[in-house]
Structure formats: structure tokens, C-alpha cells
């Protein structure tokens, strides 16, 4: 619950909510939205023990739900996290320019030296998932796509 409240406070200071008054019903809706998205990130983090991070990044490159899996140390510092999120948001937006020609992106995957990074566009936001490298990883992105489809259809 503390994590959810922390995200709401961060979001309200950084997003449009800080610019206009919030009605009680609106605040409850925002809290419910955060709870749902944190649950999504938690569910995805439990798909495989190698998953290190599952977080939702908004179109401005801010982490708005989820984060590092407990007891896992980040490979980069917090400042680099922010740069990574902003770069990801920009990259996803740029890929959307080709949707009319090639169709919508379901996910992108980077196989790096130290880990695997996957991104899943979700409307204006993007789900970022990273995991330790392993030989068999091909099923995981498709499992995540199914979870996202169920999540967005309900």
C-alpha cells in the first residue's frame, strides 16, 4: 500500500493532477487505477523467477506503477533509470509512426549482454520488463501479451 501511495504522490506532483483541484471520486479512481496497474506488474513479475523488473512507464518517461522485484539489486543508478524510461517512451512513440504500414507493436525485445529487456505498449503507457539471461526465454513475452490482453479487456 505504501508503494501505491508513493506513486500517487509522485504522479500528482509531476502530472496534470498538480495543476487542477481533484474531486474525492477522482482521487478514488486514481487510487484504484494505481492498485490495478501495480497488481498487473506484480502478476507479470511472478511469471518467471528470472524477472528482475516489471513496471509501467507513462508517455513522459516516468515510472507510474511496479518496479524492481524485491531483493533484486538494480544494475544502474536511479538517475540512469530515469534516462532509460524517457528513452523507452520516446522509442515506443517513434515506433507508432509505422503502425499504419506494419501494424501495432505487441512487444519489443533486446537481448543484452547482462539481461533481456522487453517492452509492451499499453495505450499511452508502456510496460517494461527485464529479466536475467537464460537459454529459453521465448515463451515469456507471449505469456505477458496474454496477461495484458486479459487486463485491458476487463
Amino acid at each position: 500500500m505504501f508503494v501505491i501511495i508513493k506513486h500517487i504522490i509522485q504522479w500528482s506532483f509531476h502530472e496534470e493532477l498538480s495543476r487542477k483541484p481533484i474531486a474525492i471520486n477522482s482521487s478514488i479512481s486514481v487510487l484504484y487505477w494505481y492498485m490495478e496497474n501495480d497488481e498487473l506488474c506484480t502478476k507479470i513479475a511472478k511469471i518467471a523467477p528470472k524477472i528482475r523488473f516489471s513496471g509501467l512507464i507513462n508517455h513522459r518517461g516516468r515510472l507510474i506503477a511496479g518496479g524492481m522485484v524485491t531483493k533484486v539489486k538494480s544494475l544502474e543508478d536511479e538517475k540512469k533509470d530515469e534516462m532509460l524510461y524517457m528513452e523507452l517512451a520516446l522509442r515506443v512513440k517513434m515506433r507508432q509512426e509505422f503502425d499504419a504500414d506494419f501494424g501495432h507493436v505487441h512487444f519489443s525485445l533486446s537481448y543484452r549482454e547482462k539481461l533481456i529487456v522487453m517492452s509492451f505498449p499499453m495505450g499511452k503507457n508502456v510496460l517494461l520488463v527485464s529479466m536475467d539471461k537464460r537459454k529459453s526465454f521465448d515463451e515469456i513475452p507471449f505469456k505477458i501479451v496474454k496477461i495484458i490482453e486479459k487486463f485491458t479487456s476487463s
Side-chain angles (χ1 to χ4, degrees), residues 2 4 28 30 58-59 77 80 96 99 107 118 127 141:
F2 174 73
I4 295 169
I28 292 170
V30 169
N58 72 7
H59 66 284
D77 63 27
K80 283 190 178 178
Q96 290 172 346
D99 284 357
F107 69 88
M118 299 169 279
L127 177 71

Side-chain angles (χ1 to χ4, degrees), residues 7 31 50 69 71 89 93 99 122:
H7 288 304
L31 181 61
K50 295 276 188 179
V69 174
K71 299 181 182 177
K93 181 68 178 159
D99 284 357
M122 291 180 62

Side-chain angles (χ1 to χ4, degrees), residues 133-150:
K133 285 177 65 174
R134 62 188 228 179
K135 289 180 183 173
S136 175
F137 62 86
D138 56 336
E139 294 176 7
I140 292 173
F142 295 101
K143 287 180 181 179
I144 294 172
V145 167
K146 283 183 182 179
I147 291 171
I148 291 171
E149 287 172 352
K150 285 180 186 175

Side-chain angles (χ1 to χ4, degrees), residues 69-86:
V69 174
T70 358
K71 299 181 182 177
V72 174
K73 187 181 180 309
S74 181
L75 297 175
E76 73 283 345
D77 63 27
E78 200 171 318
K79 197 67 174 166
K80 283 190 178 178
D81 282 345
E82 292 174 14
M83 288 175 47
L84 174 71
Y85 302 155
M86 286 187 272

Side-chain angles (χ1 to χ4, degrees), residues 21-114:
I22 305 168
I24 296 295
N25 288 342
S26 176
S27 296
I28 292 170
S29 296
V30 169
L31 181 61
Y32 183 71
W33 184 88
Y34 273 101
M35 288 171 55
E36 279 186 333
N37 284 287
D38 259 347
E39 287 174 20
L40 170 69
C41 293
T42 301
K43 185 173 188 172
I44 288 169
K46 291 179 181 178
I47 289 175
K50 295 276 188 179
I51 292 180
R52 304 172 51 82
F53 180 94
S54 174
L56 195 62
I57 313 299
N58 72 7
H59 66 284
R60 294 183 180 169
R62 303 253 193 249
L63 178 65
I64 55 175
M68 290 299 293
V69 174
T70 358
K71 299 181 182 177
V72 174
K73 187 181 180 309
S74 181
L75 297 175
E76 73 283 345
D77 63 27
E78 200 171 318
K79 197 67 174 166
K80 283 190 178 178
D81 282 345
E82 292 174 14
M83 288 175 47
L84 174 71
Y85 302 155
M86 286 187 272
E87 185 269 338
L88 175 65
L90 178 62
R91 192 169 6 113
V92 167
K93 181 68 178 159
M94 291 180 76
R95 278 192 196 119
Q96 290 172 346
E97 297 293 323
F98 299 100
D99 284 357
D101 300 318
F102 305 126
H104 296 290
V105 173
H106 293 277
F107 69 88
S108 293
L109 185 142
S110 296
Y111 190 80
R112 294 181 161 268
E113 227 176 275
K114 295 182 180 180

